[in-house]
Structures are given as structure tokens and as C-alpha cells.
């Protein structure tokens, strides 16, 4: 009876504790313009090429499976498992304008 209880408890309860959250929470699909690193097997992660998502390609389930990436030298088609999305928010140049004037412009330069 003790073994039966242990078996049922370990299968039902312990497996819930080891469940991976990344499969339970929805993940954002790749969007055009996302900045990514292209994972390569034969080189270190510091040398992975940088690229921008040109066109994501969705599978039958509506989730992006493959993306066409624009790198410095060419367009590359990669599976989503070989892409690392960088947490960079792209902004327009309008939001990057600097204010003119202020204390720095009023200082005397000798």
C-alpha cells in the first residue's frame, strides 16, 4: 500500500514541481525588425553574426518556425531554434533627438 501511494504521489505531484514554465506561458513571435544573433555550431557565441528579422515565416499552428534574416553580407534563412532574440526595443530616430541649450552650452570654453 505504501509503494502504491508513493508511486501515485511521485507521478502526479513531483512531475508538477519539475514542469517547465516556458511551455506554459505564451511567447511573443518574432516580428520584422527584431535584432537577433544567429547561433552557429562551430564558433563561439561571441562571434555569432548579428542580423535583423526581414520576414518571419509561420507554421500551420500560427507560430513562427523559420525567419529570413538580413545580415551584414546576405539574407539568411534560419530555424527559430538557431536564432537568439536580443532584448532591444527599436525606436524611431524622432525619439533620439537631443535637446539643445542647457548648462553645457552656456559654459565658457577657455
Amino acid at each position: 500500500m505504501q509503494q502504491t501511494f508513493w508511486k501515485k504521489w511521485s507521478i502526479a505531484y513531483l512531475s508538477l514541481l519539475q514542469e517547465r514554465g516556458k511551455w506554459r506561458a505564451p511567447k511573443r513571435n518574432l516580428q520584422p525588425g527584431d535584432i537577433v544573433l544567429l547561433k552557429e555550431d562551430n564558433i563561439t557565441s561571441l562571434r555569432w553574426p548579428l542580423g535583423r528579422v526581414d520576414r518571419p515565416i509561420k507554421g500551420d499552428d500560427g507560430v513562427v518556425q523559420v525567419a529570413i534574416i538580413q545580415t551584414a553580407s546576405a539574407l539568411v534563412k534560419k530555424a527559430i531554434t538557431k536564432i537568439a532574440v536580443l532584448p532591444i526595443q527599436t525606436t524611431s530616430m524622432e525619439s533620439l533627438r537631443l535637446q539643445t541649450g542647457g548648462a553645457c552650452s552656456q559654459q565658457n570654453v577657455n
Side-chain angles (χ1 to χ4, degrees), residues 6-69:
W6 175 258
K7 184 176 182 180
K8 287 183 180 182
W9 182 78
S10 63
I11 290 172
Y13 181 70
L14 288 180
S15 63
L16 289 176
L17 294 178
Q18 296 174 339
E19 205 170 76
R20 295 188 181 220
K22 71 178 186 179
W23 292 313
R24 296 181 61 87
K27 190 176 176 184
R28 182 177 85 78
N29 270 336
L30 276 180
Q31 300 294 322
D34 284 349
I35 306 297
V36 297
L37 288 174
L38 303 177
K39 298 178 184 178
E40 299 289 341
D41 294 332
N42 299 329
I43 58 176
T44 63
S45 58
L46 293 175
R47 296 185 181 258
W48 287 349
L50 185 66
R52 181 182 301 270
V53 176
D54 185 55
R55 189 175 40 149
I57 301 170
K58 295 182 180 180
D60 294 336
D61 56 358
V63 178
V64 174
Q65 302 295 328
V66 177
I68 297 176
I69 311 294

Side-chain angles (χ1 to χ4, degrees), residues 48-110:
W48 287 349
L50 185 66
R52 181 182 301 270
V53 176
D54 185 55
R55 189 175 40 149
I57 301 170
K58 295 182 180 180
D60 294 336
D61 56 358
V63 178
V64 174
Q65 302 295 328
V66 177
I68 297 176
I69 311 294
Q70 176 69 55
T71 64
S73 59
L75 281 174
V76 178
K77 189 174 185 179
K78 284 278 190 178
I80 195 73
T81 57
K82 296 291 185 177
I83 298 172
V85 181
L86 295 178
I88 298 174
Q89 293 181 349
T90 56
T91 58
S92 67
M93 292 303 289
E94 192 67 31
S95 65
L96 298 176
R97 290 187 183 198
L98 299 176
Q99 295 180 356
T100 58
C104 292
S105 65
Q106 296 173 358
Q107 293 178 351
N108 291 334
V109 177
N110 294 333

